Amino acid sequence: MKSLLAVSAAIDRINEFIGKSVMWLILVAVIISAANAIVRKAFSTSSNAWLEMQWYLFGAAFLLAAAYTLKQNEHVRIDIVYGLWSRRVQHWIDLLGHLLFLMPFVLLMVWYLVPYVQRSVRIGEVSTNSGGLILWPAKALLLAGFVLLAFQGVSEIIKKIAVMRGMIPDPSPFVSSHAAATLEGEEMARENVK
């Protein structure tokens, strides 16, 4: 299990680096969007390439950060139901959810995306919009996002089993939304007293 935990830690480091790095793509997309809007209003001209570049950058940030979001345990779940169970049952819910829902879906997406991206690269697929960009980089980002998510899913399964066996502390203990808001309020009150 120690070697699996080492693999998990390596996957976590890679996805954390990528997840924190791609946040800058949102800023670049906003700058391109603002510049494109200014040029369109000031000079009555525009470019589909710049518009598509915004989409590519936003898509890249979203897709490449999905694995990091999973690592941080920030994906959406129904806390009102999840919070009713003991932590042991929550661990089982997480493990079974990863094994039965996340991994089959992600692996199926990778399976279908590989030929989809290969075909796009092979034919040199270009946007149907006038002046648009080549499409295969966007499709490759889609594939990369699901590959990273698959690896992070494996990492989460390894960590969940290790936590359930008592080998490592829980890296993301569950705190209900109400409890989190209470803790945040108490922290803010302490800061205001200082």
Side-chain angles (χ1 to χ4, degrees):
M1 191 70 180
K2 285 186 179 183
S3 59
L4 289 175
L5 285 170
V7 169
S8 173
I11 292 169
D12 287 354
R13 281 192 301 277
I14 291 167
N15 278 327
E16 185 158 348
F17 174 77
I18 292 170
K20 287 181 176 179
S21 298
V22 297
M23 70 179 178
W24 293 103
L25 296 179
I26 299 295
L27 176 61
V28 175
V30 168
I31 291 169
I32 290 173
S33 176
N36 199 23
I38 291 168
V39 167
R40 186 173 56 248
K41 295 296 182 188
F43 303 107
S44 296
T45 187
S46 186
S47 166
N48 284 333
W50 287 109
L51 182 62
E52 289 181 8
M53 180 57 68
Q54 296 168 55
W55 300 340
Y56 284 21
L57 292 169
F58 181 75
F62 178 80
L63 291 164
L64 297 176
Y68 175 66
T69 305
L70 179 61
K71 178 195 172 294
Q72 296 299 106
N73 198 28
E74 292 293 331
H75 281 282
V76 175
R77 77 160 49 97
I78 305 171
D79 286 348
I80 195 165
V81 174
Y82 186 80
L84 295 174
W85 303 99
S86 70
R87 192 61 185 136
R88 180 173 169 74
V89 172
Q90 290 173 352
H91 287 311
W92 277 105
I93 291 170
D94 290 339
L95 180 62
L96 293 175
H98 290 344
L99 288 170
L100 300 176
F101 298 103
L102 174 70
M103 293 308 292
F105 172 72
V106 170
L107 294 174
L108 185 66
M109 289 302 297
V110 169
W111 176 262
Y112 281 115
L113 283 169
V114 168
Y116 180 69
V117 172
Q118 287 174 334
R119 180 184 176 280
S120 184
V121 171
R122 188 177 62 251
I123 66 172
E125 190 174 8
V126 178
S127 171
T128 56
N129 295 321
S130 174
L133 300 175
I134 54 175
L135 287 178
W136 69 261
K139 292 181 177 184
L141 285 169
L142 187 62
L143 175 59
F146 277 103
V147 168
L148 291 172
L149 193 56
F151 279 111
Q152 191 60 46
V154 169
S155 175
E156 295 304 312
I157 289 167
I158 292 168
K159 288 186 292 189
K160 192 56 66 177
I161 291 170
V163 166
M164 292 169 73
R165 288 183 172 181
M167 299 175 73
I168 62 171
D170 192 349
S172 52
F174 175 74
V175 179
S176 71
S177 299
H178 177 73
T182 303
L183 290 171
E184 185 178 345
E186 290 170 356
E187 180 64 30
M188 289 173 63
R190 279 194 297 275
E191 287 177 9
N192 287 337
V193 170
K194 294 178 184 179

